[in-house]
Amino acid sequence: MRRFLRPGHDPVRERLKRDLFQFNKTVEHGFPHQPSALGYSPFLHLMAIGTRSGAIKLYGAPGVEFMGLHEENNTVMQIHFIPDQCQLVTLLDDNSLHLWSLKQHGGASELREEHRFTLKGPPGSPPSATQVTAVLPHSSREVLYLGTESGNVFVVELPSFRVLEDRTITPEAVLQRIPEDNCNRRSCELVEALREHPKNPDQILIGYSRGLIVLWDLQSNKATHHFLGSQQLENLYWQRDGSKFISCHYDGSYSQWPISSDNKQSEPLENTVPYGPFPCKAISKIYWQTTKNGLPYIIFQGGMPRASYGDRHSISVIHGSQQTAFDFTSRVIDFFIIFSSDPAAEFDDPSALVVLAEEELVVIDLKSAGWPAVHPPYLASLHCSAITCSHHVSNIPLKLWERIISAGSKQNIHYSSMPWPIDGGTNIAPDPPQRDLLLTGHEDGTVRFWDASGVCLHLLYKLSTVRVFLTDADPNDNMNTLGEDEWPPLRKVGTFDPYSDDPRLGIQKIYLCKYSGYLVVAGTAGQVLVMELNDEDAEHVVDHAEADLLQDQEGYRWKGHEKLKTRDGPVRFEAGFQPFVLVQCQPPAVVTSLALHSEWKLVAFGTSHGFGLFDHQQKRLVFVKCTLHPSDQLALEGPLSRVKSLKKSLRQSFRRIRRSRVSSRKRRGGGGNASEVQEANARFDQDALQEMELAPVQRKIEARSAEDSFTGFVRTLYFADTFLRDSSRHCPSLWAGTNGGTVYAFCLRVPPAERRMDEPVRAEQAKEIQLMHRAPVVGILVLDGRSTPLPEPLEVAHDLSKSPDMQGSHQLLVVSEEQFKVFTLPKVSSKLKLKLTALEGCRVRKVTVANFGSCKTDDYSENNLAVLTNLGDIQIISLPFLKLQIRYPCIRKEDVSGIASCVFTKYGQGFYLISPSEFERFSLSTKWLVEPRCIVDMPEVTSNNHVHNKSGTENTAVKS
Amino acid sequence: EFRRFSLERSKPGKFEEFYGLLQHVHKIPNVDVLVGYTDIHGDLLPINNDDNYHKAVSTANPLLRIFIQRKEDADYSAFGTDTMTRKKNVLSNVLRADNHKKKPHIVISMPQDFRPVSSIIDVDILPETHRRVRLYKYGTDKPLGFYIRDGSSVRVTPHGLEKVPGIFISRLVPGGLAQSTGLLAVNDEVLEVNGIEVSGKSLDQVTDMMIANSRNLIITVRPANQRNNVVRNSRTSGSSGQSTESSAPGSAANLLGGLLHGEEESDDEDIIIEGGGEPQHIPRAAPSSDSIESLSHIELLHEPAHNGFLLSGDMSSGHSAGSASTECDLPEAGRKSLEEDGTVITL
């Protein structure tokens, strides 16, 4: 019969579907996973970051973003912008070079790969002969100089990548002009650095790794000067006027060399070991920046005393008597200085230091006293503490938005007021349609509020719940209290701090009511905090209640963590969200579900043991309900004693390792390299198959029973004003769904507003529904008489939604991991169902009601369910008839953490983590689409400036 | 409970007298019972009038095996013809959901007394190398009791023989439903789950599908042992031949679909407990204007758990061997008595 029920192809509906639904992955928010290279174009004011998975991302002014992906998925080793061009060259770890261009297309710029090239040596030569170690794009824009491991410097023409063999600079040619007594063939092994003379494009400086430095004249094709350092060379840098250059070395020293007019061998002007006299680590990169006042800025990476500070990731800035060693939280990948790019300017006048560390981007304002950090508008490190949950709130009222921003600005006073220095390109995307907040909960007990309205995910405000509790670590002891005489003058910068003092502080559930400003946050140790937005600092006592979810169950012992200890007495809270009530579940298991009704002033929370309802107006626990099955020992004992599943989890973790290896290589599907990815997947599948033949993995086929573990785990809580008892009177109700397929409904009596403080809130269990398929209940929803989902609390009061239809009969939608079921109310009879797992073998992981507007007409919109399955597919299912509308593959099914992190918005968008530090944003709607759209124009190039505009070429790493 | 007694073959007397004698012998004077006997073919035939009583006595050879059964528990479907002969090719029996509707005038069983455990279905529409097995988990306490694994099988493709990934039964739990049916075996390749092909699906997906369908699981396998396959044309001798002929081959898939659809509406009747009351099954809402509703409602008219019985080859033969030594089968054991209806046999 099913055959006759298929929706068939109603052409009207099909057309409407095209106007409503469309799937796009629009932008990646956050910080690129495993960055490996950095580049900057002072000409375009664009920064480029390459990653280990072969992605390349360009950033300019906020909203200006480009992304490209190398087909090879190999690590990007170096990035070099071509001077005065919208082009850049990347070097991958497979020794291939790629030329990328920003071209305008359809009114916006796009990043495209134009050419690729791999240097080939003569037949029979070792691979090292052509292994590129240094790249110099010449200011003529016609050639690239490629230094290699063999000591040869090859010249290739751009953009064709044709090798100009007659112009190759061989070690033999270099050594011709150098007295043999202090040099031999070995001196010219491995080109470490190539630098063009800032004033004379015919001269380039070649630094070899053993310390020999040669100034090569391109016209006469000979070495005019040579400089012999005693230490292994790391890098070189020209002074702006070209009269001197500076070299840095493996032993932590740097030297200044003058270019004398005669050709004799020079001695260094100065040779310094800044953090000597004890052995120091290498200085791998150095800048010498001139200023008007005469005191240069010397900025270098590394050089720390090997024994005591060898593990620090530092960049030192020396300016006259000021010296600071910025101490980064993770390895420094590379850095550059933003300085005057006007070729006519006499001095560099550096304004900012931009450092790409492995886990975050740090920008230091060099103009302001004290060298404060600049708050980046993008590239936020989402993972500065691991993300444990997320919550999205659409369409924030302006008032609340401003209050959050104002609370956040008080936290950001230590940041520099400097405008964002990387400001290339123009954002031409339309203004975001509304103000959206993305809240992320973190392992360290903080909640971060992100502006998710547009392309740039920007941190607005950070809330910490730690202050409420007594923890081992004193929050003040890691403040920066270095004395004046500390040496080296280290200063911690950056926010990346993945080490949580106490995992119990972790945030697990968040709910924000955008109308009332109430925020509820629940955590790993069963803590539920109710907060209110306060624009002022305040000191007050947090009311404390305990909810014993085990109640009359006896003889169980919780073997998990202890509950958090609270601080006695008043606690000082800064402006922003301030907790006023703390409920602690007993046993202190992870809070698995949370609901807030801001109009009734009720909070419901659930754990693996049961759920409770708290009246935060009267600060009274209304009731608790234990959902435990007596045989469910595992849930009782807590997470630490799951001996039974150890074997399984071991197996899973091995799989995860394998998966993560694959995913780091092949992180992105889609795009131009689908076939490549498919091929790789096929290979992977084949490997997996072979593996399975060796040790077959078995799966038990068994019907679920009431005795299974964790059936009492409360998965979802829902408040609704509906017809629970009879069809004439509706009343407030609380619904709870468990892992074992049970739905509990409680009838609530909330006193009217004028007696709200005098009479207690009462609750009585009205219904209990046991789904016979016993799959976990992941969503509960009541549809009104017009089959529209009930509005959120206070939505009607704020005139933002129509009042629900209380005339027609209401329906209850229960979503389990396996099925969607519609029941009538108040008498529960089953009306409709959609089986998902039985037919497709996939399970519901996330489900939300989303409103889809038509891109054709403004006045049409409809509510549908957006569903993410465990296979990473997104399905849109109609309400109330539960018909599948459309299906899109979104996340790889192996990407378990990506699927687990997915959060939908109310208007058909969503976010999921593609790495610990990056959210992918996607859109299911034709109407709401937030994606970067920007133009990068070629600035005017004056005729004489390509001769002098040297500064542009050398801000990129020459070392790998 | 067994009784052995003798009758005079030449003077069997009236049926009423015999009936009284039986009640006397079993000391159940006021209990209404049904009386049956096994004829020379091993068929269970009724004794309820003088004619068939005389016939029965005349066929005794020399022993007459008589089964009696309490009337209210009785299964009328037990009495049929051809039972034993059909039993040999019972694999060819086809379960049809519409069987009862088609032949309502023949009272062939009281199915509510029995619970199906497994059956072989759709023999007529499947290739002989495949077997479609239905396991009824509902109401039984036995675990389904099997495991599946990944593996590879060889397929004939346009490019010659190709190794393709497949899903296989890897283990049967002793005493589990799967093992007790004898219809599934280790290394059988799973081809479909409730009508949906598993090719291209992962082990976890197939696991989820099977568990989601666990109350009414229909799996199509390619048995590792192909020697017990059904020989197609032998089926026409079975009495169920007529019913299968009535379904045109083209509608085969549809029939399975209908079957699935009909079943699924009742395979998981959710339970509601209204404010402290007793648990009840959640009723279906009255058919609405929605097309799905009205169609599926019709399917619901009969309870699938009651419309057919199962049999697994070795179990039934084992039992019939046991019953061969009995002469009477007492009401308490009614459930275990060898019964059959037009299509399938129940233990």
Side-chain angles (χ1 to χ4, degrees):
Chain A
M1 307 300 139
R2 188 164 289 276
R3 178 168 79 162
F4 305 118
L5 304 179
R6 291 241 163 81
H9 285 280
D10 174 8
V12 179
R13 182 64 197 164
E14 291 302 310
R15 215 173 309 129
L16 184 56
K17 272 156 71 168
R18 277 198 296 278
D19 294 345
L20 292 168
F21 313 125
Q22 180 187 40
F23 180 73
N24 283 296
K25 291 187 181 176
T26 56
V27 61
E28 292 174 6
H29 295 304
F31 185 78
H33 187 52
Q34 296 182 314
S36 56
L38 175 70
Y40 178 67
S41 166
F43 171 71
L44 299 172
H45 288 233
L46 288 179
M47 167 176 68
I49 295 176
T51 72
R52 278 208 239 167
S53 52
I56 170 160
K57 296 177 161 203
L58 268 58
Y59 297 89
V64 176
E65 288 190 31
F66 301 94
M67 150 112 198
L69 187 67
H70 293 92
E71 271 181 38
E72 291 82 357
N73 292 105
N74 279 322
T75 300
V76 180
M77 304 299 287
Q78 297 183 27
I79 303 173
H80 301 271
F81 281 90
I82 310 294
D84 308 340
Q85 295 285 311
C86 288
Q87 285 185 318
L88 60 152
V89 171
T90 55
L91 171 68
L92 304 191
D93 67 350
D94 64 354
N95 205 34
S96 62
L97 288 154
H98 302 254
L99 179 68
W100 296 79
S101 291
L102 282 169
K103 291 238 166 107
Q104 291 197 11
H105 183 262
S109 297
E110 287 177 5
L111 181 66
R112 292 220 194 114
E113 188 180 343
E114 303 254 300
H115 288 285
R116 66 184 59 198
F117 166 73
T118 303
L119 192 60
K120 289 197 179 63
S125 61
S128 68
T130 53
Q131 182 70 46
V132 177
T133 53
V135 179
L136 171 65
H138 192 257
S139 60
S140 65
R141 296 168 240 157
E142 282 154 8
V143 290
L144 274 184
Y145 291 91
L146 303 175
T148 61
E149 251 176 44
S150 63
N152 284 306
V153 177
F154 292 93
V155 187
V156 295
E157 202 174 57
L158 278 178
S160 63
F161 281 122
R162 192 166 62 88
V163 181
L164 305 172
E165 282 178 20
D166 54 324
R167 290 170 67 179
T168 303
I169 304 165
T170 61
E172 290 74 21
V174 169
L175 291 169
Q176 265 177 13
R177 309 268 304 181
I178 295 168
E180 268 191 39
D181 46 337
N182 39 21
C183 273
N184 56 29
R185 175 66 186 80
R186 296 197 65 194
S187 311
C188 291
E189 280 176 356
L190 208 153
V191 177
E192 200 69 60
L194 287 172
R195 297 287 181 184
E196 185 179 327
H197 192 285
K199 301 286 179 195
N200 179 3
D202 289 334
Q203 290 195 322
I204 59 170
L205 204 55
I206 307 171
Y208 298 94
S209 101
R210 285 181 180 260
L212 176 67
I213 303 159
V214 167
L215 186 63
W216 186 263
D217 189 84
L218 299 171
Q219 289 297 325
S220 59
N221 223 1
K222 62 180 188 195
T224 55
H225 297 71
H226 72 275
F227 314 88
L228 197 61
S230 55
Q231 285 295 331
Q232 204 170 314
L233 182 74
E234 288 285 320
N235 218 325
L236 296 169
Y237 191 80
W238 278 109
Q239 241 178 53
R240 193 177 181 93
D241 61 2
S243 65
K244 277 182 263 178
F245 69 88
I246 191 164
S247 65
C248 56
H249 303 276
Y250 183 74
D251 65 344
S253 66
Y254 64 85
S255 311
Q256 275 191 69
W257 306 82
I259 308 287
S260 53
S261 47
D262 55 355
N263 287 359
K264 71 175 177 64
Q265 193 208 324
S266 314
E267 286 301 317
L269 280 180
E270 183 200 0
N271 189 9
T272 320
V273 184
Y275 295 109
F278 299 110
C280 289
K281 295 199 79 169
I283 293 178
S284 49
K285 187 171 180 178
I286 190 159
Y287 276 82
W288 178 285
Q289 299 273 290
T290 55
T291 61
K292 223 172 277 165
N293 68 15
L295 285 174
Y297 278 87
I298 298 168
I299 301 166
F300 57 88
Q301 175 188 352
M304 283 285 134
R306 188 172 286 277
S308 39
Y309 296 96
D311 57 341
R312 301 301 179 103
H313 314 288
S314 74
I315 290 181
S316 302
V317 180
I318 304 173
H319 178 60
S321 60
Q322 296 177 61
Q323 178 165 357
T324 298
F326 293 102
D327 184 7
F328 295 91
T329 54
S330 54
R331 194 167 62 89
V332 172
I333 303 295
D334 200 358
F335 71 102
F336 62 85
I337 310 290
I338 297 175
F339 53 89
S340 169
S341 58
D342 175 8
E346 204 178 332
F347 302 104
D348 291 316
D349 279 326
S351 54
L353 160 68
V354 180
V355 182
L356 178 70
E358 195 151 39
E359 307 290 356
E360 62 187 329
L361 182 80
V362 176
V363 178
I364 306 286
D365 174 3
L366 296 176
K367 289 268 193 204
S368 308
W371 298 333
V374 184
H375 192 44
Y378 45 67
L379 284 166
S381 287
L382 299 171
H383 62 321
C384 36
S385 169
I387 293 180
T388 42
C389 65
S390 1
H391 175 70
H392 186 274
V393 191
S394 302
N395 214 354
I396 304 284
L398 183 61
K399 183 77 192 140
L400 178 67
W401 188 257
E402 284 171 345
R403 291 176 73 191
I404 292 171
I405 288 179
S406 120
S409 64
K410 287 173 191 153
Q411 298 177 323
N412 291 339
I413 41 173
H414 59 281
Y415 281 114
S416 162
S417 56
M418 174 193 231
W420 183 244
I422 303 164
D423 56 359
T426 314
N427 180 7
I428 55 166
D431 280 342
Q434 55 189 24
R435 288 171 297 271
D436 286 358
L437 263 185
L438 181 66
L439 280 68
T440 52
H442 298 261
E443 204 179 25
D444 62 355
T446 58
V447 178
R448 284 170 168 80
F449 289 62
W450 305 91
D451 174 0
S453 324
V455 170
C456 292
L457 192 72
H458 181 66
L459 181 66
L460 295 178
Y461 165 71
K462 182 178 132 182
L463 164 74
S464 175
T465 62
V466 180
R467 222 175 273 271
V468 181
F469 305 104
L470 274 176
T471 53
D472 300 337
D474 183 356
N476 293 324
D477 71 353
N478 53 4
M479 293 302 277
N480 221 336
T481 50
L482 286 178
E484 287 291 306
D485 51 348
E486 284 292 328
W487 189 260
L490 288 166
R491 187 170 115 201
K492 274 241 171 271
V493 281
T495 55
F496 179 70
D497 179 17
Y499 310 104
S500 170
D501 295 331
D502 190 338
R504 295 177 298 168
L505 293 168
I507 305 295
Q508 297 293 336
K509 294 283 163 192
I510 304 171
Y511 186 94
L512 172 69
C513 172
K514 62 184 177 186
Y515 304 109
S516 62
Y518 281 119
L519 171 73
V520 196
V521 164
T524 305
Q527 73 271 34
V528 180
L529 282 161
V530 190
M531 312 197 198
E532 227 172 356
L533 190 53
N534 186 347
D535 299 324
E536 303 295 330
D537 289 12
E539 189 165 336
H540 58 79
V541 178
V542 177
D543 277 289
H544 179 215
E546 199 160 281
D548 178 13
L549 295 173
L550 282 185
Q551 279 182 303
D552 38 4
Q553 301 272 350
E554 275 173 23
Y556 296 124
R557 200 154 60 89
W558 169 255
K559 294 181 192 162
H561 48 235
E562 284 177 28
K563 71 170 187 177
L564 284 161
K565 287 197 185 72
T566 53
R567 261 175 218 279
D568 297 327
V571 185
R572 179 144 201 95
F573 296 102
E574 58 181 23
F577 287 94
Q578 298 173 347
F580 62 95
V581 166
L582 166 68
V583 182
Q584 286 185 293
C585 298
Q586 195 58 322
V590 177
V591 175
T592 55
S593 54
L594 186 68
L596 168 75
H597 200 292
S598 41
E599 200 170 346
W600 304 334
K601 310 255 193 274
L602 296 173
V603 177
F605 47 89
T607 72
S608 48
H609 304 97
F611 58 97
L613 181 69
F614 190 84
D615 172 0
H616 68 77
Q617 178 95 3
Q618 292 187 20
K619 296 175 180 150
R620 196 181 70 90
L621 192 65
V622 179
F623 76 91
V624 293
K625 165 87 183 171
C626 182
T627 53
L628 271 187
H629 193 276
S631 65
D632 189 356
Q633 282 293 331
L634 285 182
L636 285 158
E637 291 171 352
L640 300 177
S641 63
R642 284 190 217 162
V643 186
K644 231 166 121 183
S645 60
L646 182 66
K647 224 162 104 183
K648 194 177 163 197
S649 64
L650 267 179
R651 195 166 59 212
Q652 277 169 346
S653 56
F654 278 121
R655 255 192 228 125
R656 214 169 293 131
I657 290 167
R658 200 176 60 204
R659 207 180 286 139
S660 64
R661 265 194 226 128
V662 171
S663 69
S664 65
R665 284 203 336 261
K666 315 279 169 212
R667 196 161 48 83
R668 287 174 59 85
N673 62 335
S675 61
E676 177 88 2
V677 171
Q678 261 169 19
E679 203 179 283
N681 281 345
R683 228 177 305 143
F684 170 63
D685 285 348
Q686 215 163 30
D687 294 349
L689 202 68
Q690 280 167 358
E691 204 170 304
M692 278 182 263
E693 276 168 356
L694 289 175
V697 177
Q698 288 191 110
R699 289 283 184 278
K700 188 176 188 181
I701 307 299
E702 206 45 80
R704 261 183 294 266
S705 76
E707 285 80 44
D708 284 351
S709 283
F710 293 108
T711 51
F713 197 116
V714 179
R715 290 289 291 265
T716 183
L717 289 162
Y718 177 67
F719 284 108
D721 185 3
T722 188
F723 301 92
L724 193 54
R725 286 252 167 88
D726 57 66
S727 49
S728 53
R729 275 174 306 141
H730 56 93
C731 66
S733 62
L734 171 66
W735 299 77
T738 72
N739 228 23
T742 309
V743 175
Y744 300 94
F746 280 76
C747 196
L748 307 179
R749 216 196 124 269
V750 183
E754 61 274 16
R755 278 173 287 150
R756 183 65 179 79
M757 284 307 283
D758 308 329
E759 293 175 19
V761 176
R762 291 186 197 284
E764 194 183 346
Q765 180 162 342
K767 290 188 195 314
E768 179 180 333
I769 301 171
Q770 175 61 56
L771 301 177
M772 285 313 277
H773 65 286
R774 293 191 189 280
V777 177
V778 293
I780 297 174
L781 186 69
V782 172
L783 307 175
D784 72 5
R786 287 183 296 258
S787 296
T788 307
L790 293 185
E792 280 177 42
L794 293 176
E795 206 171 16
V796 176
H798 285 72
D799 283 334
L800 288 158
S801 167
K802 273 196 288 187
S803 313
D805 179 355
M806 300 309 244
Q807 306 305 316
S809 57
H810 283 196
Q811 297 171 66
L812 170 72
L813 169 67
V814 177
V815 182
S816 78
E817 281 190 1
E818 297 186 353
Q819 299 186 5
F820 300 78
K821 290 193 139 182
V822 175
F823 299 96
T824 58
L825 285 176
K827 178 160 171 43
V828 176
S829 43
S830 72
K831 208 173 165 194
L832 256 187
K833 81 170 134 189
L834 173 68
K835 284 187 162 189
L836 192 68
T837 311
L839 298 175
E840 297 180 27
C842 58
R843 303 165 144 272
V844 178
R845 281 283 174 262
K846 304 274 169 174
V847 60
T848 319
V849 178
N851 186 272
F852 290 89
S854 164
C855 61
K856 293 273 170 63
T857 51
D858 274 344
D859 52 354
Y860 184 80
S861 73
E862 61 181 49
N863 289 308
N864 291 292
L865 292 174
V867 177
L868 175 74
T869 71
N870 66 333
L871 303 180
D873 283 350
I874 288 179
Q875 306 195 353
I876 296 174
I877 291 169
S878 72
L879 282 176
F881 295 115
L882 301 181
K883 293 208 171 124
L884 175 65
Q885 300 297 302
I886 208 152
R887 178 203 320 254
Y888 304 106
C890 179
I891 312 176
R892 287 180 317 107
K893 70 177 177 209
E894 295 84 6
D895 185 3
V896 179
S897 57
I899 292 171
S901 66
C902 180
V903 51
F904 287 110
T905 78
K906 276 187 79 181
Y907 295 94
Q909 299 214 349
F911 301 85
Y912 67 91
L913 289 171
I914 46 176
S915 72
S917 56
E918 286 167 289
F919 272 118
E920 173 81 61
R921 185 188 195 114
F922 62 85
S923 173
L924 303 167
S925 161
T926 52
K927 208 169 175 186
W928 306 109
L929 204 64
V930 173
E931 60 182 343
R933 196 172 157 77
C934 37
I935 287 189
V936 174
D937 283 319
M938 284 270 287
E940 285 293 313
V941 181
T942 49
S943 57
N944 64 335
N945 99 2
H946 71 267
V947 178
H948 301 289
N949 183 10
K950 285 302 88 52
S951 52
T953 61
E954 48 204 354
N955 290 307
T956 52
V958 174
K959 276 206 46 86
S960 51
Chain B
E1 228 182 305
F2 307 122
R3 297 285 186 279
R4 187 181 275 252
F5 57 95
S6 59
L7 281 176
E8 203 174 327
R9 189 189 290 258
S10 53
K11 276 194 272 173
K14 299 252 183 230
F15 170 69
E16 275 84 2
E17 296 166 25
F18 176 67
Y19 189 76
L21 178 64
L22 285 177
Q23 285 181 322
H24 172 74
V25 166
H26 285 280
K27 301 191 174 66
I28 44 168
N30 295 316
V31 178
D32 285 337
V33 292
L34 283 183
V35 185
Y37 75 102
T38 50
D39 74 352
I40 44 169
H41 309 295
D43 283 339
L44 185 67
L45 297 174
I47 303 178
N48 47 20
N49 56 37
D50 291 352
D51 288 346
N52 52 23
Y53 173 52
H54 292 153
K55 173 74 178 162
V57 173
S58 67
T59 57
N61 183 21
L63 214 59
L64 178 64
R65 244 173 269 141
I66 291 169
F67 297 81
I68 64 172
Q69 204 175 3
R70 200 196 295 271
K71 212 163 204 167
E72 51 266 37
D73 298 335
D75 184 349
Y76 291 96
S77 73
F79 304 108
T81 53
D82 268 350
T83 322
M84 288 306 167
T85 47
R86 277 197 47 246
K87 225 178 76 186
K88 283 175 194 128
N89 57 23
V90 68
L91 296 190
S92 67
N93 291 334
V94 179
L95 178 71
R96 285 288 174 256
D98 51 1
N99 224 312
H100 294 279
K101 277 188 278 178
K102 286 242 170 97
K103 296 183 261 180
H105 54 286
I106 305 172
V107 182
I108 48 175
S109 72
M110 302 289 271
Q112 50 273 32
D113 292 343
F114 305 98
R115 204 155 252 148
V117 177
S118 69
S119 56
I120 293 190
I121 57 173
D122 292 340
V123 181
D124 52 336
I125 55 171
L126 286 177
E128 288 174 9
T129 52
H130 296 181
R131 181 186 298 165
R132 187 168 286 166
V133 178
R134 182 170 188 168
L135 300 175
Y136 303 80
K137 168 73 181 129
Y138 187 83
T140 53
D141 296 331
K142 269 189 185 172
L144 281 169
F146 67 102
Y147 290 74
I148 56 171
R149 64 168 169 88
D150 278 307
S152 58
S153 71
V154 177
R155 292 277 155 77
V156 184
T157 68
H159 322 289
L161 291 179
E162 230 173 54
K163 235 180 168 188
V164 294
I167 304 287
F168 294 84
I169 293 176
S170 60
R171 189 154 85 85
L172 297 179
V173 177
L177 189 55
Q179 193 213 36
S180 67
T181 64
L183 301 179
L184 298 171
V186 171
N187 292 333
D188 285 1
E189 182 181 1
V190 177
L191 302 171
E192 290 177 3
V193 175
N194 287 50
I196 292 154
E197 281 192 39
V198 305
S199 77
K201 293 196 158 62
S202 68
L203 183 65
D204 288 335
Q205 249 175 303
V206 178
T207 306
D208 281 342
M209 286 168 68
M210 287 188 172
I211 292 175
N213 286 304
S214 58
R215 278 166 194 284
N216 175 34
L217 183 60
I218 300 173
I219 46 181
T220 309
V221 294
R222 187 209 313 273
N225 177 358
Q226 289 280 336
R227 278 175 303 179
N228 294 335
N229 288 343
V230 172
V231 181
R232 182 76 53 84
N233 51 17
S234 71
R235 190 198 62 235
T236 48
S237 64
S239 64
S240 66
Q242 301 125 351
S243 68
T244 54
E245 276 152 21
S246 66
S247 64
S251 66
N254 181 26
L255 269 170
L256 176 62
L259 190 72
L260 291 175
H261 194 67
E263 300 302 341
E264 79 180 71
E265 296 308 326
S266 55
D267 64 350
D268 51 3
E269 283 190 338
D270 304 327
I271 290 170
I272 172 102
I273 303 171
E274 297 273 356
E278 287 299 305
Q280 290 173 339
H281 281 289
I282 293 180
R284 292 279 302 170
S288 68
S289 54
D290 179 39
S291 60
I292 290 182
E293 289 299 81
S294 47
L295 275 171
S296 55
H297 193 70
I298 294 164
E299 298 287 345
L300 263 172
L301 288 176
H302 57 271
E303 291 282 349
H306 302 157
N307 68 357
F309 296 115
L310 91 155
L311 127 70
S312 71
D314 50 350
M315 287 289 285
S316 63
S317 58
H319 186 86
S320 62
S323 66
S325 66
T326 69
E327 292 180 44
C328 299
D329 204 347
L330 270 201
E332 286 74 25
R335 217 174 243 211
K336 283 189 181 165
S337 69
L338 183 66
E339 308 284 358
E340 76 168 43
D341 66 7
T343 53
V344 272
I345 303 171
T346 307
L347 288 176

